[in-house]
Each structure stands twice: as structure tokens, then as C-alpha cells.
Amino acid sequence: MTLPFGRFTGTVYRGHHPMWAYDPLSGAGAARFGGRFNAPGLPTLYTALRPETAWTEAQQGFAFKAQPLTLCAYDVDCTDVLDLTDPNVLAGCQSDMAVLACAWEDLARQKKQPPSWALAERLRAEGAAAIIVPSFAARADARDRNMIFFNWSDALPHRLQVIDDEHRLPKNMSSWTLQ
């Protein structure tokens, strides 16, 4: 099957726990815990197309108390992107919105493979570097979309670079003292 790949150029955003802001390109958190589109062990970088969406995504566990976060912007020029918010692209990937919206955390806790993991695994194997999907965070609306990277680097064709012209991000973990 030939997937309907596209190219994305623009800016995406991610809200980081301040302690982990020294490594905004790692994907290690998703690799450690898993996410909607990756099983544990697979580095994946979850970003949003709007800063408001990044904030909403980062605050999901704290509906009534906003917690501190470091908001980063990224410059993107990436090919091999699938926009799964487009119904035609989603159908061309032989999937549907129910797969994207599955209760992945509950399924993973039950030791069952979530359909969204199976879809992402198949798309990665067929060359997808990134996917664009709706946000499923509480309070998200139709404007809220995420871009999830499976394959990224500081060079084309999957370029993703954090914007930090003034070198404000910490350089290592020693910037923080744990209490």
C-alpha cells in the first residue's frame, strides 16, 4: 500500500516538566512510560500545533491546578508525515477515528495492545516519520491537533530543532536540585 505522505513545515510546541527541559528532543519520557501512539521502549516525541494545545496536553493530570511547565517551540521541516485528521488520509491508512481515540491506557494496563499502538507500529514500518492527530485531552476542541514524531533529527528530511536562540534552556540535569 502506498501511504499518502505529505510534508510539514512550521512550528510545533511541547510543554515539558521543567526538570526535563534540558533534553527537549529526547522522546525518553514516552519511551519510558508509553503513550497513545507508542509502546514503552519506543522513543516518540509528542508535540502540538498550537501552544494552547501543548499546555492542555501537559496539564491533563491536573485539571484543577495548573502545574509549572517549560513551553518549547520547535522549527520543523519534515517529510513522510501523515495527517490523520484528514478523513481521506485516515481511510487511506486503513484506519478510523475509533482507533485513534481508543482507551489506550486502560488496554495497556490490561496487558492488551491498544489499536493505536498497532496502527503507529504499522505506519512506522511503512516509513511514517510523523503523524498529525486530534488532541484527545480533556477540554480539547477541533483546533487542537498534535504532531507525533517517530523519526526526527537535526537534518532533513525529518528536521526538528528546538528554538532556543538565547540559550535559555538548561544544559543538563545539574540545573535542578531534587528535594
Side-chain angles (χ1 to χ4, degrees), residues 26-175:
S26 77
R32 182 173 179 196
F33 300 107
R36 180 173 294 279
F37 296 99
N38 72 292
L42 296 170
T44 305
L45 194 67
Y46 286 78
T47 66
L49 299 186
R50 299 182 330 123
E52 298 89 347
T53 308
W55 188 88
T56 299
E57 290 283 344
Q59 299 295 336
Q60 283 189 68
F62 305 100
F64 303 106
K65 282 188 178 176
Q67 299 298 307
L69 65 92
T70 300
L71 183 66
C72 291
Y74 300 81
D75 183 47
V76 178
D77 187 345
C78 187
T79 60
D80 306 316
V81 176
L82 294 167
D83 184 353
L84 301 181
T85 65
D86 179 328
N88 295 322
V89 172
L90 187 59
C93 293
Q94 300 176 332
S95 193
D96 58 36
M97 195 58 67
V99 169
L100 303 183
C102 73
W104 72 272
E105 288 178 295
D106 290 337
L107 292 166
R109 257 188 241 111
Q110 297 171 38
K111 306 292 186 211
K112 297 177 184 174
Q113 183 184 46
S116 58
W117 288 6
L119 172 64
E121 185 176 305
R122 181 171 54 82
L123 297 178
R124 278 194 311 272
E126 294 185 37
I131 57 175
I132 298 172
V133 297
S135 171
F136 295 101
R139 300 177 311 281
D141 63 34
R143 298 171 300 164
D144 296 314
R145 296 183 300 154
N146 294 324
M147 187 166 185
I148 294 92
F149 291 87
F150 307 125
N151 184 3
W152 67 96
S153 74
D154 62 356
L156 295 173
H158 307 129
R159 185 172 59 80
L160 178 70
Q161 297 174 319
V162 68
I163 299 171
D164 188 18
D165 302 332
E166 297 180 8
H167 308 288
R168 293 180 180 187
L169 291 173
K171 300 301 176 215
N172 55 52
M173 187 66 137
S174 67
S175 298

